[in-house]
Amino acid sequence: MKYQVLAEEILTGVGGRENILSVIHCATRLRFRLKDSSKADTAGLKKNPGVIMVLESGGQYQVVIGNHVADVYQALLSVAGLSDETSQSDEVKDSLFARLTDVISAIFTPFIGIMAASGILKGLLALALALNLTSEDAGLYKMLFVASDALFYFLPVVLGYCAGKKFGGNPFTTLIIGAALVHPLMLTALNDEQSGAAPLHVLGVPVILINYSSSVIPIIFAAWFSCLVERTVHTRLPGAIRNFTTPLLCLVITLPLTFMVIGPAATWLSHLLADGYLAIYQFSPTFAGAFIGAFWQVCVIFGLHWSLVPIMINNLSVFGSDTLLPLLMPAVMGQAGATLGVMLRSRDAKTRGIAASAFSASLFGITEPAVYGITLPNRRPFILGCIGGALGAAVLGFYHTTAYSFGLPSIFTFSQVVPKTGFDASVIAAFAGALIALLFAAVTTWLCGLTDVKAEAVAAAAPPPTNAPELLKKTAIASPMSGAVVALEQVPDKTFASGLLGKGVGIQPTVGRVMSPVNGTVASLFRTHHAIGLEADNGAEVLIHVGTDTVKLDGLHFSAHVSQGDRVSTGDLLLEFDIAAIRAAGYDLTTPVLIANSDDYIDVLAASQQSEVTAGEPLLALIK
């Protein structure tokens, strides 16, 4: 499998199978619940070329992978012997907010993609109506509308299944509870009651009938209660009959209680939540927009944005529309604009290439490559992007721009803010706000978002003033091997060439020996001995990765002379490898030598312009 090696390395990095309580994935990241996060090798995972970022937030250990996270997730399930049905455990006691965020993300993540697709389709249909391209009586319109509306109408069914999995019960039992909430018989009884018929009674108690279509909170509470009943009765029933009596008792107990108590109470809570958000929004729509636009990407970084997803869906369920989702679009466009500014300003070819790819992904709502790869490492572009998001979202708030379907904030959001009645000022404000965010971030980043790299290089080459020794410091890093020096962007592995893992150079070795380029400690040594990380006494974090895809050799033709945690001195032998055998096996031996903490330095430059280097000679100059 293509991602099996990466999955194995991630599994090792999080502390092994026995340390995993559960794992799910969203658009770009794996979200682990670990028994003990201290067992995870966060530093090692961050240095993995297949990992963009690692962070802990909301009770989850999050490994950011990128757009191919679903493939890595499936590979991880395979190598770890896990399944989508892996139960959730409450062994880890986090804060209430962290546990709430974990519950929300676990329930909504599995179907967030199809939900976004349904919302986009719904928005495009509304746009077609507004442009008079079709009518509500057209057959094709009706078919596509059903496709776009089915998930939202039967949302309690889908939520029932996902909530059942999260709460550790039988997901099909909770799915049936969700289906019962939208069963035609109950909806008919509701319509009859509204037409003047006698109310429905259970044991003489009148039932408060509510239309639960598209509802969110009632089924989540009902699923939690059903799973509680299941855990209570399952072990107390005889083994011969528990497989069918347990779900039977769950249905018999939970369903009446849901229709009579849980559903009405949860519906009241849903309206309270919606009315509370509306009160905050109406207090100052402009300020609300500016606040959300400024801090949305900060929430995304820490994985806390999931806490807003139920609010948006609940607003759509209660009001039929939502004013929160549109405010997120300028925040996305702000980071896209900042990335565009970096692409236009940077003189570095690899930075421009990364920025171009990240910019296009940001337009479609995937901002992690832009944030982690471009704007956040440079700091100033990220801040300017947030300011642009605040300005743009303030415009949308002022004009009360409203979304009529759910989706990820992206360029498709434009279609979701168009009412059936046609274009109005709020729709124009959506275009204006997004454009303001993008242009402000792009222009300000181009003007002042990046330091002048060329000027820094000139300053680095000149000796520092003798009366200001602290103004500029240069630290030399020796070459770990002998061979031909190549620019980092010429390294065959695109992940290394992109500079995401740090600045440095590549070496095409002529001798199969890796020597220590610094005095320090062996911070990490890969199991396959093809790569090693060092923490120098001077603070530099050096990563040496011998060859491209050589991890697939599984240690063949490599030998290590040190262990993780060993002290080393400059010139000590670290690794040996068989150049001829590795090349005969079809692998390129171009070796990236990187400074993993490049952000701690003004720049990382080649120490000389020579095309050949001998082990022990100066290779890199760290400017601080």
Side-chain angles (χ1 to χ4, degrees):
M1 188 180 294
K2 182 177 179 181
Y3 296 104
Q4 184 170 353
V5 173
L6 175 58
E8 290 175 347
E9 292 173 349
I10 292 174
L11 180 62
T12 301
V14 298
R17 168 66 181 88
E18 62 280 0
N19 196 39
I20 299 176
L21 293 174
S22 65
V23 58
I24 57 175
H25 76 88
C26 57
T28 57
R29 61 188 78 183
L30 297 170
R31 296 168 173 268
F32 291 91
R33 291 274 293 173
L34 302 180
K35 293 180 181 178
D36 184 358
S37 59
S38 65
K39 294 182 179 180
D41 180 15
T42 301
L45 283 173
K46 286 182 178 180
K47 295 175 182 177
N48 191 301
V51 175
I52 297 176
M53 179 61 66
V54 179
L55 59 138
E56 289 187 71
S57 180
Q60 296 177 333
Y61 189 86
Q62 303 175 19
V63 181
V64 183
I65 301 296
N67 294 339
H68 54 283
V69 65
D71 298 320
V72 179
Y73 172 74
Q74 293 299 327
L76 180 69
L77 295 184
S78 175
V79 300
L82 298 168
S83 73
D84 285 331
E85 307 298 324
T86 301
S87 63
Q88 309 287 324
S89 172
D90 290 329
E91 290 180 33
V92 179
K93 300 300 181 182
D94 297 306
S95 67
L96 179 61
F97 180 76
R99 299 181 69 180
L100 179 63
T101 302
D102 175 61
V103 167
I104 292 171
S105 62
I107 292 175
F108 285 92
T109 291
F111 64 94
I112 197 72
I114 184 60
M115 176 175 280
S118 298
I120 291 170
L121 179 56
K122 216 171 201 182
L124 292 175
L125 290 174
L127 182 61
L129 286 177
L131 297 174
N132 294 319
L133 299 178
T134 187
S135 68
E136 292 184 349
D137 296 326
L140 181 60
Y141 173 85
K142 290 182 178 180
M143 288 184 182
L144 293 179
F145 181 81
V146 168
S148 69
D149 194 57
L151 174 62
F152 298 102
Y153 186 88
F154 295 105
L155 192 57
V157 181
V158 179
L159 286 172
Y161 179 83
C162 295
K165 289 179 63 177
K166 172 58 184 174
F167 296 134
N170 184 338
F172 291 101
T173 301
T174 50
L175 178 148
I176 295 302
I177 294 173
L181 291 178
V182 294
H183 194 281
L185 182 62
M186 302 308 295
L187 296 180
T188 300
L190 172 62
N191 293 332
D192 291 343
E193 183 177 314
Q194 292 175 343
S195 301
L200 187 68
H201 286 73
V202 174
L203 301 177
V205 179
V207 178
I208 303 174
L209 291 176
I210 299 170
N211 187 348
Y212 291 106
S213 300
S214 303
S215 63
V216 176
I217 298 179
I219 181 56
I220 294 178
F221 278 97
W224 173 82
F225 183 80
S226 174
C227 294
L228 179 63
V229 172
E230 181 178 337
R231 287 194 296 270
T232 302
V233 303
H234 187 72
T235 56
R236 292 174 170 82
L237 294 171
I241 63 171
R242 66 172 52 151
N243 285 340
F244 63 88
T245 51
T246 297
L248 174 63
L249 288 173
C250 289
L251 292 177
V252 170
I253 296 172
T254 305
L255 264 176
L257 196 62
T258 298
F259 279 110
M260 299 176 69
V261 180
I262 297 176
T267 301
W268 171 80
L269 182 60
S270 299
H271 284 269
L272 188 66
L273 179 63
D275 291 339
Y277 164 75
L278 188 61
I280 295 173
Y281 179 82
Q282 290 181 339
F283 176 76
S284 178
T286 305
F287 176 77
F291 182 83
I292 294 296
F295 290 101
W296 169 252
Q297 287 299 331
V298 178
C299 292
V300 171
I301 289 174
F302 293 103
L304 304 179
H305 56 301
W306 283 105
S307 59
L308 297 179
V309 171
I311 297 177
M312 291 183 276
I313 300 176
N314 188 64
N315 287 342
L316 288 166
S317 174
V318 175
F319 302 132
S321 60
D322 173 49
T323 54
L324 177 56
L325 174 61
L327 303 180
L328 310 181
M329 180 179 55
V332 170
M333 294 302 158
Q335 293 304 314
T339 306
L340 178 62
V342 172
M343 183 183 74
L344 297 175
R345 176 72 177 183
S346 177
R347 298 179 176 87
D348 186 58
K350 64 177 180 293
T351 299
R352 298 181 67 176
I354 300 169
S357 174
F359 171 69
S360 60
S362 296
L363 294 178
F364 294 97
I366 306 299
T367 56
E368 278 89 347
V371 171
Y372 292 125
I374 298 294
T375 63
L376 194 60
N378 290 291
R379 295 179 179 85
R380 203 178 298 171
F382 178 78
I383 296 172
L384 294 172
C386 290
I387 295 174
L391 295 174
V395 174
L396 272 71
F398 182 81
Y399 284 95
H400 299 272
T401 302
T402 303
Y404 299 94
S405 60
F406 180 80
L408 299 175
S410 67
I411 56 175
F412 292 112
T413 306
F414 292 125
S415 66
Q416 296 172 255
V417 301
V418 179
K420 291 184 179 180
T421 55
F423 292 89
D424 56 20
S426 68
V427 179
I428 297 173
F431 285 93
L435 196 60
I436 289 171
L438 191 146
L439 291 180
F440 174 87
V443 172
T444 54
T445 298
W446 185 84
L447 290 174
C448 58
L450 289 177
T451 53
D452 193 331
V453 178
K454 185 175 181 180
E456 284 181 359
V458 173
T466 56
N467 60 343
E470 298 300 322
L471 182 61
L472 192 65
K473 293 182 179 180
K474 183 187 297 184
T475 301
I477 300 295
S479 177
M481 57 175 60
S482 301
V485 179
V486 299
L488 187 62
E489 55 265 28
Q490 295 177 358
V491 172
D493 190 310
K494 294 186 182 300
T495 304
F496 289 115
S498 68
L500 279 175
L501 298 177
K503 298 179 180 180
V505 298
I507 299 177
Q508 295 173 343
T510 54
V511 179
R513 295 161 65 89
V514 177
M515 320 298 289
S516 177
V518 295
N519 297 325
T521 306
V522 178
S524 61
L525 177 63
F526 283 68
R527 175 182 58 84
T528 53
H529 298 161
H530 73 289
I532 189 170
L534 305 172
E535 289 187 1
D537 293 341
N538 59 25
E541 297 177 6
V542 185
L543 174 63
I544 306 165
H545 190 287
V546 182
T548 301
D549 291 333
T550 48
V551 65
K552 296 178 181 178
L553 291 171
D554 199 28
L556 185 64
H557 310 310
F558 287 92
S559 60
H561 292 266
V562 292
S563 301
Q564 185 168 329
D566 286 357
R567 284 284 306 172
V568 293
S569 300
T570 302
D572 286 353
L573 178 62
L574 304 177
L575 307 173
E576 284 189 295
F577 54 96
D578 190 331
I579 294 180
I582 295 173
R583 285 178 175 161
Y587 293 91
D588 188 290
L589 273 170
T590 304
T591 299
V593 181
L594 308 176
I595 304 303
N597 60 333
S598 296
D599 289 345
D600 294 344
Y601 299 89
I602 296 175
D603 208 349
V604 177
L605 306 171
S608 71
Q609 302 301 316
Q610 295 181 357
S611 59
E612 298 284 337
V613 69
T614 302
E617 292 182 348
L619 179 69
L620 297 173
L622 311 186
I623 312 301
K624 192 169 186 178

